[in-house]
Amino acid sequence: MRLPLALRGITLLLLLVLIGYGINHFGLAELLSEHWIDREVRGQGYAGEALFLGVAILAVSLGIPRQVISFLAGYAFDLLLGVLLALLATLLGCVLSFYFSRLLARSLVAERFSGRVRRMDDFLREHPFTMTLLIRLLPVGNNLVTNLTAGVSSVPAGWFLLGSGIGFLPQTLVFALAGSGVALDPAWRIGGGVLLFVASGAL
């Protein structure tokens, strides 16, 4: 159900103000580095995991490449936990930007990316799950723009998000594997990440 136009505009303005305040006040622009991981996340137990997840969700929803999140998750945690947290953060960041576009910024996104919205509609209309999966498997493109234009398009949210979640997995594994190699067994882990990246692109 679409929100009234005035309410959408007010909510959009408030969200942008809060995001700007958060970036300036909490230094979010300086987060998501190996130094921040070492200082605030590693060895902090559940609190560190929750902090990483919250920051990563916000970062993905604002357009930070999901590959960066996956790499840092692999660096911060063991491989399995890193993949799980990176995948969850990427999917929830996708949900935020998708519904932000669909519920609040439809006219703004439609005007800014009108050509892409039409192409997205054409590409996803017949087989939304399969085509979304294909988009996510490709190691190219802008994740945020895809989320925003899909939100404005007629694609069903359920199929888009399901295809996204499954399609995110290969690259999440690739970059988490590479990130984990920074601290342990760099040769075979980073080499394995490169091979998996090439394989996902070929697929």
Side-chain angles (χ1 to χ4, degrees), residues 14 19 32 39 43 53 68 72 75 86 138 173 177 192 200:
L14 289 175
I19 289 169
L32 295 174
R39 187 181 70 247
L53 183 61
V68 172
L72 290 173
Y75 174 77
L138 295 174
L173 176 60
L177 186 64
S200 68

Side-chain angles (χ1 to χ4, degrees), residues 3-4 6 15 34 36 47 57 60 66 77 81 91 102 112 143 160 167 170 172 196 203:
L3 296 175
L15 281 174
E34 293 175 12
W36 175 74
I57 291 170
V60 171
R66 56 191 171 95
F77 309 104
L81 181 59
L91 183 57
R102 179 152 291 191
R112 176 66 180 82
N143 188 52
F160 177 77
T172 299
L196 285 171
L203 178 63

Side-chain angles (χ1 to χ4, degrees), residues 69-140:
I69 301 301
S70 300
F71 181 89
L72 290 173
Y75 174 77
F77 309 104
D78 64 65
L79 182 60
L80 177 59
L81 181 59
V83 168
L84 289 175
L85 290 178
L87 186 60
L88 182 60
T90 302
L91 183 57
L92 291 179
C94 170
V95 169
L96 282 180
S97 52
F98 177 88
Y99 278 107
F100 171 80
S101 176
R102 179 152 291 191
L103 298 178
L104 299 175
R106 181 178 291 269
S107 58
L108 177 65
V109 174
E111 179 180 350
R112 176 66 180 82
F113 301 108
S114 58
R116 295 191 185 198
V117 173
R118 285 193 299 272
R119 289 194 295 272
M120 181 72 74
D121 259 326
D122 293 341
F123 191 70
L124 298 178
R125 185 180 299 115
E126 295 297 327
H127 305 285
F129 170 75
T130 306
M131 294 298 100
T132 300
L133 183 62
L134 177 61
I135 290 173
R136 298 310 196 182
L137 287 173
L138 295 174
V140 294

Side-chain angles (χ1 to χ4, degrees), residues 23-76:
I23 290 173
N24 289 325
H25 183 73
F26 296 106
L28 293 179
E30 300 176 3
L31 300 184
L32 295 174
S33 67
E34 293 175 12
H35 177 69
W36 175 74
I37 294 289
D38 291 335
R39 187 181 70 247
E40 303 290 345
V41 176
R42 273 185 165 173
Q44 302 300 316
Y46 292 128
E49 295 166 10
L51 176 62
F52 177 85
L53 183 61
V55 171
I57 291 170
L58 179 60
V60 171
S61 71
L62 294 176
I64 299 297
R66 56 191 171 95
Q67 294 87 348
V68 172
I69 301 301
S70 300
F71 181 89
L72 290 173
Y75 174 77

